[in-house]
Amino acid sequence: MPRHIRLAGLPSSLLWITMLAVSGSFGQSPAPLVQNVINRTTVSLDGDWHYIVDPHEEGTARSFGSRNFVEYDFNTSPSLHVPGDWNFQRPELQWYEGTVWYQRSFDYHPRTDTRALLYFGAANYRARVWLNEKPLCEHEGGFTPFNCEATSLLQDGANVLIVAVNDTRHSDDIPSLRPDWFNYGGLTRDVMLVEVPREFIEQYSIQLDRGSSHRISGWIRAPNPSTSQKVTIRIPELKLGTEAMADKYGLYWFTIDAPKLELWSPEKPKLYRVEISTPTDRISEEIGFRTIETRGTDILLNGRPIFLRGIDLHEEPFYRSGRAHGEDDARTLLGWAKELGCNFVRLAHYPHDESMIRVADRLGLLVWSEIPVYQGVDFKSRQTLDKATRQLTEMIARDRNHAAIILWSVSNETPKSAERNAFLHQLITTARTLDPTRLITTATNQTTTAEAHKKVFDDPIIADLDVFGVNEYIGWYEGVPADLDITTWSTPYEKPMIVSEFGGDAKYGLHGAASQRWTEEYQEDIYRHQIAALRKIPFLRGTSPWILKDFRSPHRQLPGIQDGYNRKGLISESGERKRAFYVLQQFYHELAAQASETRKP
Ligand code: GCU
C-alpha cells in the first residue's frame, strides 16, 4: 500500500507521479500512467483468453503464475473474451465473486530503442500480473487504468501473460460492500502493449487558462529534463507553436496565445489537433479548448452562464448484459442522452471507459466524472483514503485533456461525520492540486428538514466545493409526488447546485393510475412534479435525473417488476422509452430553445 513521504516544495503537478509510483511489493509497481494510448503504437491483447475459476485461491498456493501445476491446464481450459466481464459470458459465473485466472500467449518482437508497457483499461477489482512466469505488477481499483513496465520481461517470439483478477468486496475497499450496481468482474476494458521510445512523453496538461478565451497553457512531463532538450507544442490548424521551458522538477511549461481560437461547447464541439514533440518522441491529440468556472450561483462555460441539462448513466450497454466498453456502446448511450435534449451527463458512480469521454468530446456533452466513494465507506481508514486517492489520481491522469469533463466528483451520498468530512476534504484538496482547471463537486443527500417540506442544503462539505450536487427522491423514497408542490429549498451557501439525482422506478409497459407505484404513469407524475418544483429553485444550475437506462443491481429483486434491475431508467434495458422520457425531453428542449435565444447577439 502507498506510504506517505513528506514531499514539501514539489510543484503540485509532480505530486501525482509520487502517488502513482510508490506501491506494493508484488513484482514492481505500475509505471506512471501513459496518457492518450489511442494515439500510441499499440499491440492489442484483446480477444479470447483461457481462464480458470479459483474460488479457494488455490492458484496462489500452487503458483499458477509460474504454471508448475498438475491438476490445472490453461491450454485446455475454456476461454473468456477480453474486454468483458465474466458474469455474462458464462451462466455459471453470473453471480461469481472471487478469483479468476486469465492466461493468453502472444508473439512479440521487441524493437530497438523501444519500451513496452503493458496497459490495462481496467480490471475489476484487484489484479496481479505475471509475464513469462515472472511477477510483473499488481493493481487495485476496478474502474481506472494502469500500466506496467514489461520491456525487460518480454521475449522475442512467444510470450505468456497470466492475470489473476479478484472482485471480492471488502468494507475498506472503494467502492465498499453494498453498491447499488452489479459487480461485474474481470478484464472489463482493453488490454494492450503500448510501445514508447526509451525517453517518452509520459503526461501533459493542455488547456485554456481560467477566465481566458485565448491563452492556452500547460506542462509536459518528459524524462531527462535539460534546458537543452527542445520540447515543442504545435497547433497546425492555427499555425501556432511554441517551445516549452524545463523547470528543475522535470516539467516543461508553455503558454500559447491563440486569438483566433474557436472555443469548444456543446453547440460547437470544436477539437484541434495538438502535436507535442521532443527529440525522441512525438504524440498528438484532438483537444477542445473551453473554460469552466463559477461566479456566485452561476456555472460559466466560456464565460457565459449555462444550465446543465443532464442525465445519469451507469456503464451498461443496451440490448446485451454485461459491462459496456468501447466506442460503439458509448455512441449508443450518449446518442440517447443527446436525443433526450441533454448537454450534460453524470457518469455514475465511477470513471467510465475512456471511449465514453472521447465520444462526449466529439458529441459536445459536458461530463461529471466520479470516483466510487459511495455511501458507507470506512472513513476512519488511512488505507481506504489511499485507495480513493489513487483512483482519483488515475482518473485525472487519464482524462485531464478531455474538454468534455468539467466536474470531478469525489463521492456520492456519504453520511455526515467528522471523519467523513476530513476524508472528503483531503480528496477535494488533492483534486484541486492535480487539476486547478476544473470544478470540484460531490453528490450529497445530507439535507436538513427541520420543518416538513422545508429542505435546507447545509451539508458542511459544500463549503469545500465549487458546485454541489443534491440527490433527492421526493415522490419515491420520500412522500408522494404532490409533496414537491409544497416543498421549499434553501441553502446557506452562495454556490451553484445540480440536482444530481431524482426519479422513481417504473416497469416498462406497466400502466395504471398516476398514483400506482411501479407504473409508467407514476414515474411520469414524479417527473412532472419534480420539474415544476425545480424550476422554482433560484440557485439551480443543472439536473441529472436517475437514470438513463434500467440497470442491473443485486439489491433489486421484486419479482415481475425489478427482476434484478433498478427500474428508475427512462429507457428499459432493451431500449423502450417510458412515458417520463418525453416529459424530460420536452423540458430540456424548452430550456435549449431559451438558451439559444440568450446566445443570439
Ligand atoms: C441512490 C444512489 C444510486 C441508487 C439510487 C436508487 O441515490 O446514488 O446509486 O441506485 O439512489 O436508489 O435507485
Side-chain angles (χ1 to χ4, degrees):
M1 274 304 132
R3 47 184 166 74
H4 284 260
I5 314 167
R6 287 277 335 118
L7 299 158
L10 271 186
S12 53
S13 39
L14 262 186
L15 180 64
W16 61 269
I17 299 164
T18 325
M19 281 180 175
L20 278 176
V22 181
S23 164
S25 58
F26 177 89
Q28 32 130 303
S29 58
L33 194 63
V34 178
Q35 248 174 329
N36 184 18
V37 289
I38 197 166
N39 288 310
R40 285 282 182 195
T41 309
T42 58
V43 178
S44 172
L45 296 172
D46 290 348
D48 290 334
W49 293 50
H50 292 291
Y51 77 94
I52 296 175
V53 181
D54 186 13
H56 294 183
E57 302 289 339
E58 279 294 304
T60 311
R62 298 179 187 226
S63 57
F64 279 12
S66 51
R67 292 167 25 92
N68 57 353
F69 46 84
V70 180
E71 292 161 292
Y72 300 85
D73 181 359
F74 275 120
N75 297 327
T76 54
S77 294
S79 64
L80 286 169
H81 191 77
V82 171
D85 54 280
W86 60 60
N87 310 79
F88 289 90
Q89 292 191 54
R90 298 266 165 187
E92 69 276 16
L93 295 179
Q94 180 172 341
W95 294 103
Y96 177 69
E97 291 187 323
T99 293
V100 169
W101 293 78
Y102 286 80
Q103 181 254 29
R104 74 156 291 167
S105 48
F106 60 95
D107 280 341
Y108 181 71
H109 302 289
R111 292 185 297 142
T112 46
D113 292 334
T114 301
R115 289 168 67 176
L117 301 165
L118 188 56
Y119 183 96
F120 295 84
N124 189 43
Y125 176 76
R126 276 183 189 76
R128 284 170 298 146
V129 183
W130 286 263
L131 181 55
N132 296 327
E133 303 192 16
K134 300 266 182 326
L136 179 63
C137 60
E138 65 177 338
H139 182 264
E140 178 173 338
F143 303 101
T144 47
F146 62 100
N147 50 232
C148 314
E149 174 61 74
T151 316
S152 60
L153 292 184
L154 279 165
Q155 292 160 186
D156 189 353
N159 291 269
V160 176
L161 184 55
I162 292 175
V163 187
V165 182
N166 178 290
D167 72 342
T168 310
R169 290 165 290 112
H170 302 87
S171 60
D172 63 348
D173 286 350
I174 298 284
S176 181
L177 283 171
R178 299 185 57 256
D180 184 25
W181 64 81
F182 197 97
N183 185 23
Y184 295 103
L187 296 175
T188 51
R189 295 180 189 155
D190 296 330
V191 181
M192 63 189 91
L193 278 172
V194 181
E195 293 185 328
V196 290
R198 294 223 164 275
E199 282 150 14
F200 69 100
I201 298 163
E202 282 177 13
Q203 280 265 326
Y204 50 90
S205 169
I206 303 179
Q207 198 37 264
L208 273 172
D209 280 354
R210 272 208 173 171
S212 165
S213 61
H214 57 83
R215 202 175 45 256
I216 296 170
S217 69
W219 50 263
I220 297 148
R221 170 147 176 86
N224 304 331
S226 69
T227 45
S228 60
Q229 174 162 267
K230 200 161 180 289
V231 174
T232 62
I233 302 93
R234 285 176 0 97
I235 309 177
E237 189 181 336
L238 295 170
K239 299 189 177 42
L240 291 174
T242 187
E243 204 179 306
M245 310 317 290
D247 70 11
K248 64 177 189 294
Y249 298 109
L251 289 179
Y252 292 80
W253 300 85
F254 68 90
T255 296
I256 297 179
D257 197 44
K260 295 205 177 65
L261 189 69
E262 187 186 328
L263 298 180
W264 182 97
S265 69
E267 295 72 35
K268 287 204 193 119
K270 170 68 183 168
L271 301 175
Y272 286 92
R273 179 185 166 80
V274 177
E275 297 172 351
I276 304 170
S277 54
T278 69
T280 55
D281 192 17
R282 68 178 39 246
I283 182 103
S284 66
E285 186 164 359
E286 304 289 318
I287 295 180
F289 294 97
R290 52 97 190 96
T291 63
I292 188 74
E293 52 204 312
T294 60
R295 185 181 56 210
T297 59
D298 280 339
I299 298 175
L300 307 180
L301 177 71
N302 299 333
R304 302 171 75 112
I306 186 168
F307 187 92
L308 302 175
R309 308 186 306 270
I311 191 77
D312 295 328
L313 60 145
H314 264 298
E315 193 177 38
E316 274 189 4
F318 281 97
Y319 313 122
R320 77 170 199 277
S321 289
R323 221 351 124 218
H325 53 78
E327 297 244 342
D328 293 350
D329 287 342
R331 261 194 299 279
T332 308
L333 289 161
L334 298 183
W336 291 27
K338 289 284 273 187
E339 192 200 316
L340 251 180
C342 294
N343 61 3
F344 171 64
V345 287
R346 174 181 176 219
L347 303 181
H349 292 289
Y350 37 79
H352 288 209
D353 193 349
E354 191 176 0
S355 47
M356 188 77 89
I357 316 295
R358 267 197 304 274
V359 173
D361 274 349
R362 287 202 301 269
L363 288 183
L365 277 167
L366 298 158
V367 170
W368 161 313
S369 187
E370 182 166 291
I371 53 170
V373 175
Y374 179 90
Q375 301 182 349
V377 160
D378 184 354
F379 294 112
K380 295 195 180 74
S381 152
R382 173 87 238 182
Q383 268 197 324
T384 305
L385 177 60
D386 291 338
K387 294 179 185 186
T389 305
R390 170 179 289 281
Q391 293 185 26
L392 179 68
T393 308
E394 290 170 349
M395 171 174 79
I396 294 176
R398 186 195 77 181
D399 292 339
R400 64 170 72 248
N401 292 308
H402 289 292
I405 298 188
I406 55 169
L407 289 154
W408 298 122
S409 168
V410 295
S411 75
N412 177 71
E413 293 192 353
T414 51
K416 275 189 294 196
S417 72
E419 292 82 9
R420 173 262 201 177
N421 298 347
F423 189 107
L424 295 189
H425 179 74
Q426 283 254 23
L427 290 175
I428 293 164
T429 309
T430 303
R432 288 195 195 291
T433 308
L434 294 170
D435 180 8
T437 71
R438 286 185 175 82
L439 305 176
I440 309 300
T441 190
T442 210
T444 176
N445 58 354
Q446 305 290 300
T447 56
T448 301
T449 315
E451 282 168 59
H453 311 305
K454 283 199 179 336
K455 287 249 171 237
V456 183
F457 306 128
D458 55 0
D459 183 338
I461 204 65
I462 297 175
D464 277 357
L465 304 172
D466 299 305
V467 173
F468 65 100
V470 165
N471 296 357
E472 53 86 7
Y473 282 91
I474 299 172
W476 186 254
Y477 292 129
E478 194 186 329
V480 293
D483 291 344
L484 285 150
D485 309 345
I486 53 171
T487 297
T488 63
W489 324 72
S490 66
T491 178
Y493 299 101
E494 173 75 7
K495 295 192 178 188
M497 177 178 87
I498 296 172
V499 170
S500 38
E501 290 185 32
F502 73 78
D505 286 60
K507 167 83 174 158
Y508 174 74
L510 183 61
H511 293 288
S515 57
Q516 189 191 337
R517 279 176 172 262
W518 306 107
T519 61
E520 289 193 43
E521 286 74 13
Y522 190 97
Q523 186 189 48
E524 179 186 20
D525 195 41
I526 290 176
Y527 273 72
R528 288 198 189 291
H529 285 276
Q530 281 277 1
I531 290 168
L534 298 182
R535 282 176 190 279
K536 290 182 268 174
I537 304 179
F539 45 90
L540 182 74
R541 292 297 177 273
T543 52
S544 58
W546 192 258
I547 185 165
L548 178 69
K549 176 187 93 66
D550 291 353
F551 63 95
R552 281 187 185 277
S553 167
H555 299 193
R556 314 292 171 169
Q557 300 297 348
L558 191 61
I561 294 204
Q562 293 180 317
D563 298 318
Y565 280 87
N566 182 312
R567 295 275 179 212
K568 293 190 181 69
L570 293 174
I571 309 175
S572 73
E573 71 277 17
S574 18
E576 301 132 327
R577 292 158 184 70
K578 302 176 192 175
R579 296 171 66 91
F581 177 98
Y582 302 103
V583 175
L584 187 66
Q585 187 186 50
Q586 191 197 348
F587 174 48
Y588 282 173
H589 285 172
E590 200 192 297
L591 290 178
Q594 282 166 15
S596 68
E597 272 313 301
T598 52
R599 267 196 306 277
K600 284 206 185 97

